[in-house]
Amino acid sequence: MDYPASAKKYLALAQEVVERAARGGAEAEAYIIAGEDLNIEIREQEVEALTTARERGLGLRVIIDGRVGFAYTTDFSRSALEETAEQARANAARATPDEHNCLPPPEEYPHLDLFDPQIEDTPLKDKIELAKEIERQARAADGRVKITESCSYSDSRYIVAVANSRGVGATYYGANCGASIFVVAVEGEESQTGFGLAYSLKMADLDPARIGREGAARAVRLLGGKRIPTQRAPVIFDPYVTVNFLGVIAPALAADAVQKGKSLFRGKVRERVASPVVNIIDDGRLAGGLASAPFDGEGVPTQRTVLVEGGVLQGFLHNTYTAAREGVRSTGNGARGSFKATPEVGTTNIYLEAGDRTPEELVREVSRGLYVTDVLGMHTANPISGDFSVGIMGLWIEHGEFAGPVRGVAIAGNIIELLKSIEAVGSDLTFFGSTGAPSIRVAGMSISGT
Amino acid sequence: MLFAPDDLKAILEAALEGGGDFAEIFLERRRTTGISCEDNKIERVHSGLDQGAGIRVIRGDNTVYGYTNDLTRESLLETAREVGKAAGGRGTKPEIRWQQPQPNWDFQVKKRPDQVPIEEKVALVRRANEAARAVDTRIVQVSVAYGDVIQEVTIANSDGVLVEDERIRCRFMVNAVASDGRIIQTGYESAGGLMGFELFEENDPVELARRAAGRAVRMLEARPAPAGRMTVVMAGEAGGTMIHEACGHGLEADLVQKQLSVYAGKKGQQVASPLITVIDDATIPGKYGSFRFDDEGQPGQRTVLIKDGILQDYMYDYLTARKEGRRSTGNGRRESYKDRPIPRMTNTFIAPGRDDPQAIIRETQKGLLVKRMGGGQVNTTNGDFVFDVAEGYLIENGQIGPAVRGATLTGNGPEVLRMVDRVGNDLGFSLGTCGKDGQGVPVGDAQPTIRIPEMVVGGILEEEGED
């Protein structure tokens, strides 16, 4: 695809739709995303499934007398676009007026390196080979790795265009790629699952050997799990698990959750919400960040926002609406999951900053405790109350050393208590998609076992 | 019909030029309406049109899939050729003779949502919002959402299956947040089904809203759940998350064939207590997981998976059935034209037993009563699962005691199902969106009141206290 030319074409279309929808004093915003995706799934060194896709869609938001209406379409014919505009205007009539509903003005955008031509130029057979190599590496790493649950390479190339009636008219294009493997290690009657994965803006960064071996190592080390008694003990989360917890905290850092009284962090700006070793940052222009973009879903420039510094809450993430309601500037976090939804407040690249302790040091200082490598049921954690209770997979620690895997164990607590009881942060910051975290050690947690 | 039969034939032929041995096209037009209310405001009124086509070519055990939302004949022919070429092999010219399968059941939508004025939908949402807020002064936030979807599909394949269908689903959700200034708790209720606006004849939005708000407030007064092993009674009204996770996923044929299920190779074996019968049934009128035809054009059916504790069958789609030289059980489902079909549950339930639900509680000395289940997850490979307790109570001396919050139950599917020692004569349904391989599809789950002598409750150790 000729990306620069297509980007120009979609921007012109977005502007045309805005013009039509903004009749009679309405404000209007059109958002277009068009893309091509590829997904390759390997099993037993065969291509089990290959998916290619071409997709595009347009979301249209109108504001009439402070009332927001929204409609979307994947049909770009003149009549469908006309109908979408009518529908959005009609929907606006049913909504409650709110003076803070508004669209942002045009601004300068940073230039970011988001399109690695290698992702598009690499022949299909090389991408298939990359996925096969991951599986070979996982199998070679340990003889007990017997089943491939899934092994895949995927990439996507996309164009985004946003236009609004205040003069925003902006477009960019980008690409990303990723690969993952989920394997099962089998020993006797027992089987355990492990994964390795990586996502990147650059194809050269995908290392099949590392992904494959990590998947194998994660599965194999859980074999032979034993039950442990119910107790309270220090717990170490590896980066993947910390990322899972950060994913529960993230919605509470969005200003809309705060304004609606649904955030754990409401009314706590400038207060200590976490241990002093905790820093949390959202950075929409992070170099190499999977969620990096010059502007957000409303055409507001992205930025770096420090949310928690030294354990003290600094502020929240905003889109244009929440910023207007608060009388502050948008932080460029008007996030759109797709063209099918209005921009909400969402994170970009959010991460817990690395500390200076190696992960080995974190383990060595524990006399008896739990090292957690994966969780089951994280999505059942309640981001509003902060209560969580999850099944875990991991290893028991005795005298600073791993003493074997555990099974049938759950940990529970409240996320605020957890943040406050983080006693050490590792140096191993790792991103899983657009969320990153290092290992952390929590002073004491409820561990439910036998 | 979204495309003429002759065009469909041409597209399937183009797909097989490259050499696959099966080709299929799934055309979809999906119109949605959504209304959401939060902060006492009708914040969003959405409507949308999403249409597209997915083309699948299978050669041996391998699948190539492509989709596009450019629905011109030329674009579809081009996608078909590309997909077919990637499948490889020697080209074939199939003789396609259309046959139109008949559904095993039918249903009538009484009130099409596209013929209900949007004002009426908005009014419903507002009423629920007000009702939830009126429950208690400690209700600090309420969000209410209404959604309907009209999905028209045309499914055609090189075996000659040609099905066109329309699926209409409505859904309503209330989420209430209660706070006493110190802690925050939430309560959730939902209703939905393969039906039109008549959903609200059986489900009063005001009643749903009161239940959600009542739960949020009750949970404020709940104490943290205890931790450790204990007897668990799951009420029929608790919903069916447990059976969905504990064995439903493990009985999906793709996971079984890949040896990713603890139930693999166990047909005819005792895998659960003799009190347990598990059924997957797409033909229950109006349920959220029901349908006339699955997403491969196979009629939806009722499948007995486990009978009196003995494993009878798995859930199959076209591809997994073909691998075993048998027929699909009508469980081939996909989220949209963007996804290839995989075996999925429809409405899955444990059949009612003989015990009086009240007696089950009365005859339990000490334990946890689960009155409402939340979400769950399973590792199908070893059967370990968890699910969240949205509303739970301690049982003390056969009596329902104080409410507890923050509990999760973890267990192992086969172990838990073998242990079940009481099965009630009631049956309570819940609905949800089941995620698998990144695809969400509507499902229903249900179970009667059951008792499990020992499960691990993930809670808080008592000596920690509250804060």
Side-chain angles (χ1 to χ4, degrees), chain A residues 375-377 380 390-393 407-410, chain B residues 232 234 240-249 262-263 373 375-388 408-417 419-420 447 450 452 454-456:
Chain A
V375 287
L376 201 57
T380 67
V390 291
I392 66 105
M393 280 125 279
R407 63 172 294 233
V409 176
Chain B
V232 173
M234 293 176 206
T241 311
M242 202 278 295
I243 193 62
H244 182 99
E245 305 297 348
C247 88
H249 278 297
V262 273
Y263 297 102
M373 298 182 200
Q377 194 182 347
V378 63
N379 176 339
T380 57
T381 308
N382 55 26
D384 287 347
F385 70 90
V386 302
F387 72 85
D388 174 46
T408 298
L409 297 183
T410 76
N412 179 273
E415 278 178 25
V416 164
L417 290 183
M419 273 194 285
V420 171
Q447 63 155 71
I450 59 170
I452 294 146
E454 250 196 4
M455 266 185 98
V456 172

Side-chain angles (χ1 to χ4, degrees), chain A residues 7-327:
Chain A
K8 245 170 126 175
K9 190 186 82 187
Y10 284 123
L11 179 57
L13 180 68
Q15 283 167 326
E16 197 186 311
V17 171
V18 163
E19 245 169 69
R20 249 185 289 170
R23 290 178 311 243
E27 288 187 75
E29 168 198 77
Y31 173 88
I32 293 178
I33 182 154
E36 292 182 330
D37 297 313
L38 169 71
N39 186 57
I40 301 162
E41 289 168 51
I42 298 292
R43 264 175 69 80
E44 311 285 347
Q45 293 298 298
E46 289 254 355
V47 177
E48 186 183 44
L50 184 123
T51 303
T52 59
R54 268 193 305 270
E55 198 197 3
R56 62 185 194 185
L58 176 143
L60 178 66
R61 182 163 60 143
V62 298
I63 305 174
I64 304 173
D65 302 327
R67 300 169 192 265
V68 176
F70 182 80
Y72 65 85
T73 182
T74 60
D75 183 349
F76 283 14
S77 68
R78 188 155 284 272
S79 63
L81 291 171
E82 190 64 50
E83 198 180 310
T84 304
E86 282 316 308
Q87 195 55 254
R89 292 172 65 95
N91 288 344
R94 321 293 173 205
T96 310
D98 184 334
E99 56 177 323
H100 304 302
N101 284 322
C102 58
L103 299 175
E107 286 187 65
E108 289 290 314
Y109 303 116
H111 177 78
L112 302 174
D113 180 16
L114 300 176
F115 190 86
D116 172 14
Q118 203 190 336
I119 293 175
E120 167 143 74
D121 297 345
T122 302
L124 182 63
K125 65 172 181 29
D126 293 0
K127 293 174 179 173
I128 291 172
E129 194 46 42
L130 187 149
K132 285 183 178 173
E133 176 65 10
I134 294 173
E135 191 186 46
R136 281 196 295 270
Q137 290 281 348
R139 294 294 174 97
D142 196 298
R144 291 169 293 178
V145 174
K146 295 214 164 81
I147 302 168
T148 304
E149 195 174 325
S150 71
C151 176
S152 68
Y153 166 86
S154 64
D155 62 42
S156 70
R157 292 89 63 194
Y158 59 91
I159 295 165
V160 172
V162 186
N164 76 25
S165 53
R166 289 192 69 184
V168 166
T171 183
Y172 68 92
Y173 55 94
N176 55 57
C177 59
S180 66
I181 188 163
F182 289 78
V183 292
V184 181
V186 183
E187 193 167 50
E189 288 287 288
E190 194 195 353
S191 47
Q192 291 291 347
T193 310
F195 66 88
L197 58 87
Y199 292 91
S200 177
L201 297 185
K202 297 238 185 287
M203 190 145 175
D205 290 347
L206 292 186
D207 177 355
R210 198 188 59 72
I211 298 167
R213 286 191 195 131
E214 184 174 349
R218 278 186 167 260
V220 166
R221 69 180 172 184
L222 293 178
L223 287 168
K226 296 206 165 50
R227 294 194 185 275
I228 53 168
T230 297
Q231 61 190 290
R232 200 174 151 81
V235 173
I236 297 172
F237 295 157
D238 83 357
Y240 177 73
V241 175
T242 315
V243 156
N244 268 279
F245 276 90
L246 190 55
V248 178
I249 298 165
L253 291 165
D256 62 337
V258 180
Q259 290 171 358
K260 288 172 179 166
K262 295 197 301 182
S263 170
L264 293 166
F265 298 115
R266 188 187 193 198
K268 293 193 172 155
V269 175
R270 305 277 157 229
E271 281 182 26
R272 179 170 300 287
V273 295
S275 140
V277 292
V278 172
N279 300 308
I280 300 174
I281 291 148
D282 179 84
D283 188 351
R285 16 176 120 177
L286 183 73
L290 214 69
S292 290
F295 51 84
D296 70 0
E298 303 180 289
V300 174
T302 51
Q303 66 176 46
R304 180 176 192 271
T305 308
V306 177
L307 294 160
V308 175
E309 189 167 24
V312 176
L313 182 65
Q314 303 297 310
F316 299 109
L317 300 173
H318 286 277
N319 65 7
T320 302
Y321 170 84
T322 62
R325 188 162 155 179
E326 202 84 21

